[in-house]
Amino acid sequence: PALTPAARARLNEQNQARNRPAETWLDRSTYERCITRGIPVMPGAYNNNFQIVQSPGVVSITIEMIHESRIIPVDGRPHVSSGVQQWLGDSRGRWEGQTLVIETTNFSDKTSFRGSTDTLHLVERFTRLSPTQIKYEVTVDDPTVYAKPWTATLFMKKETKDQIYEFACHEGNEAMFGTLHGE
């Protein structure tokens, strides 16, 4: 998607920083530090499993990689105050027919999706197409980064009845010492 001039400059600066040796854990991404993969989650090389569970008033989405869980109210409550910012933002869901619509605001400036800022606004749509397939659409809107909102569509397929096990990744793991020592 087309970037704003400020976002292009910021991403260029970030790319230059990535080419410099890391001096502290703060020079590593929140993903590499096992804090958060962030949302929306786009497919990666492995551990792309999701578990979606609905109970009265909430939907829970657990993502295998980094073992993150989002608890999303679907009971009509409003978003928290705009002064409250969270790693994964503040999500609120609702049903539009067979589609679960999740709007997320209030992102922390410490997390980023492809250069996004704390003004990021996501609208995710999960539509069950069959007992084994879900259409996932996400609209990304961050006027400080993108020239206009954009949408991506993925199709999720139920491939396992197996349990999702803990992905044992945590900040401060032994790999960080080795990574910084190697730098």
Side-chain angles (χ1 to χ4, degrees):
L3 299 174
T4 64
R8 277 195 302 275
R10 192 170 51 251
L11 286 173
N12 185 40
E13 185 178 302
Q14 289 172 354
N15 287 335
Q16 289 175 359
R18 269 191 219 111
N19 292 329
R20 291 191 298 268
E23 295 179 11
T24 77
W25 67 94
L26 296 173
D27 294 331
R28 311 314 294 188
S29 72
T30 57
Y31 183 27
E32 188 176 348
R33 291 168 50 204
C34 298
I35 295 173
T36 181
R37 188 174 178 185
I39 59 171
V41 176
M42 295 295 158
Y46 59 96
N47 290 354
N48 292 304
N49 293 311
F50 279 53
Q51 182 179 44
I52 302 171
V53 177
Q54 181 179 351
S55 62
V58 298
V59 170
S60 169
I61 301 175
T62 299
I63 304 161
E64 184 177 20
M65 181 62 86
I66 302 187
H67 204 74
E68 292 187 282
S69 290
R70 296 169 62 194
I71 309 298
I72 302 148
V74 292
D75 59 5
R77 74 179 78 170
H79 283 279
V80 297
S81 163
S82 62
V84 177
Q85 296 179 319
Q86 302 176 79
W87 290 101
L88 298 178
D90 180 54
S91 297
R92 295 293 184 261
R94 67 181 182 280
W95 289 97
E96 292 180 358
Q98 295 296 311
T99 301
L100 171 62
V101 179
I102 302 170
E103 290 199 47
T104 307
T105 60
N106 298 35
F107 285 91
S108 166
D109 62 357
K110 292 176 177 56
T111 54
S112 177
F113 172 72
R114 300 182 183 221
S116 67
T117 66
D118 59 357
T119 60
L120 177 63
H121 177 221
L122 296 178
V123 178
E124 299 168 283
R125 296 177 180 279
F126 293 83
T127 305
R128 183 161 230 162
L129 301 177
S130 75
T132 60
Q133 190 174 41
I134 293 175
K135 179 181 178 183
Y136 173 72
E137 295 177 290
V138 59
T139 299
V140 178
D141 185 7
D142 188 339
T144 66
V145 178
Y146 302 107
K148 63 181 182 177
W150 57 275
T151 301
T153 303
L154 299 168
F155 293 90
M156 299 177 174
K157 191 167 117 181
K158 184 176 184 178
E159 294 185 4
T160 183
K161 293 180 182 174
D162 295 337
Q163 182 177 349
I164 294 178
Y165 291 97
E166 176 185 6
F167 182 81
C169 181
H170 57 88
E171 186 176 27
N173 63 30
E174 295 297 318
M176 187 57 66
F177 175 79
T179 299
L180 292 174
H181 185 72
E183 291 283 348

